[in-house]
Amino acid sequence: MSLPEAFKERLEKIVPHERFDTIIKTFDAPKQVTFRVNTLKSTASELEAELTREGIAFERVGWLEGVYRISPDDKLRLTQTEAFYGGRLYIQNLSSMIAPVLLDPKPDETVLDLAAAPGGKTLILASMMHNTGWLSAVEPSRERFFRLCDNLKHQGVTNAHTYMTDGRSVGKKCPLMFDRILLDAPCSSEARFKTFDEKSTSYWSIHKVKETSKLQRRLLLSAYDALKPGGKLLYSTCSFSPEENESPLQHLLERHGDHLKTLPLILPFDNVQKPLTRWGKEVYDERIRNAVRILPTDTIDGFFICLLEKLP
Ligand code: SAM
C-alpha cells in the first residue's frame, strides 16, 4: 500500500526539500518502541533493575530521564512483564512525551488536558504534578473516555478529574481557571500513517483536514478562555498540514493576539523545522515562528508544538 498521492504532494511542500526522501521512508517501517518509567509507582533505577531481572534489553534515551528504547521485535515481551501489568512503565512515542514536558506543570497547579484520551500525556502531567493540585481531563468520545479513566486508575493517578464533554464548551464553563492547559488536538493523524497499515490512511482527505482545522480553531479559543492571565497553553498535533497547525494558531492570534505571546522551544535533537511563514493565501503571524515541527525518524513520530503564554 502507498501513501495518498495528495498527502505526499502536500508534504513535499511542507518539509525541507533535502529531507523529503528520508521522511517518506519513515512511513514504511515500524518505529523503535519507546517507554518511560511511571514515577507515580516506581523510579528509573527500580524499573531498570526490574527489567534487567526479566531479561529485557533496553537502551536509555539520554535526553529524557527515565525513558528507554527497545527494538519493535521486543515489544510483545515488554507487554508481558510484571512492570507493564503493574503500571510501572508506559509505552509511548517520544514526541508524545515531549509535549507535557515542555508545558512543565508544577505541583499544586490547576491544569487542564482538553483532549485527553487515551491519556498518555495526562499521565505525564499527573507525574510532574506529583499527584497534587487539580488536573482536569476532558474527552467527549464515550469509548475513549472510559479508556482514559482505566489508564489513569491503572497508572496510579489520583489528582485527575475526568469529564466526558466537548472541549469547545470548557472555556465558557470554566473561564480563567487554569494555570496550564494542554491542547493535544484531535487531528488527521498524518504523522501516524504507515504504508503497512491500510487503516492508518483510510479516513484521510483534504476535506477532513479542513474540517478538523475548524474544530481545532474552536478548541484553541476555548482553551484561551479557560486560561488564567499569566498561564501557559501548549498546542500540539500529530499532523503535518499547516491547516491544522499554523492556521489555528493564526486564528487565535488574530482574535486575542494582544494578550498572547509565544515562547521559544529548544529541543535536544536536530530533526526539527521552523513553522511555515505562509501557506496558500495565508501569511502567518511572526510569533508562530517560535513553534516547532518535529520531523519523523525511525524512532520519533512527526509532531507540531507551540507554547503560548497569556499576558498577565
Ligand atoms: N492527548 C492524548 C494522549 O496523549 O493520549 C491524545 C489525544 S488525541 C490526539 C485527540 C483526542 O481529542 C481524541 O481522543 C478525540 O476523541 C478527542 N476529541 C475529539 N473531539 C474533541 C472535542 N470536541 N473536544 C475535546 N476532545 C475532542
Side-chain angles (χ1 to χ4, degrees), residues 11-12 15-28:
L11 187 65
E12 198 165 4
V15 300
H17 177 69
E18 65 284 6
R19 298 215 193 189
F20 178 70
D21 289 341
T22 324
I23 288 174
I24 279 291
K25 286 194 192 103
T26 65
F27 295 99
D28 292 336

Side-chain angles (χ1 to χ4, degrees), residues 40 121-131 135 157 159:
L40 297 176
K121 298 182 189 71
T122 326
L123 300 172
I124 300 183
L125 296 173
S127 306
M128 294 179 79
M129 296 165 76
H130 305 306
N131 256 342
L135 174 57
V157 172
N159 66 339

Side-chain angles (χ1 to χ4, degrees), residues 155-167:
Q155 301 273 323
V157 172
T158 54
N159 66 339
H161 305 261
T162 48
Y163 302 90
M164 198 197 312
T165 190
D166 190 318

Side-chain angles (χ1 to χ4, degrees), residues 90 92 96 113-122 138-141 144 148 151 165-169 182-187 189 192 215 219 236-238:
Y90 193 81
Q92 195 168 28
S96 291
D113 188 345
L114 194 55
K121 298 182 189 71
T122 326
V138 169
E139 172 58 49
S141 149
R144 290 177 67 87
L148 165 72
N151 249 337
T165 190
D166 190 318
R168 286 172 288 191
S169 66
L182 175 67
L183 174 54
D184 182 37
C187 68
S189 303
R192 302 276 158 86
L215 172 60
L219 286 168
S236 61
T237 76
C238 60

Side-chain angles (χ1 to χ4, degrees), residues 32-80:
Q32 276 197 323
V33 174
T34 49
F35 64 95
R36 60 175 184 80
V37 63
N38 174 11
T39 53
L40 297 176
K41 288 196 169 186
S42 186
T43 63
S45 54
E46 280 167 9
L47 180 68
E48 287 179 19
E50 190 175 355
L51 292 180
T52 305
R53 276 198 304 277
E54 296 215 35
I56 304 282
F58 56 85
E59 201 187 310
R60 287 190 192 130
V61 171
W63 45 267
L64 260 184
E65 169 77 17
V67 176
Y68 310 90
R69 69 178 115 227
I70 52 165
S71 140
D73 301 339
D74 292 335
K75 183 175 177 185
L76 182 63
R77 279 197 59 220
L78 185 69
T79 60
Q80 292 165 339

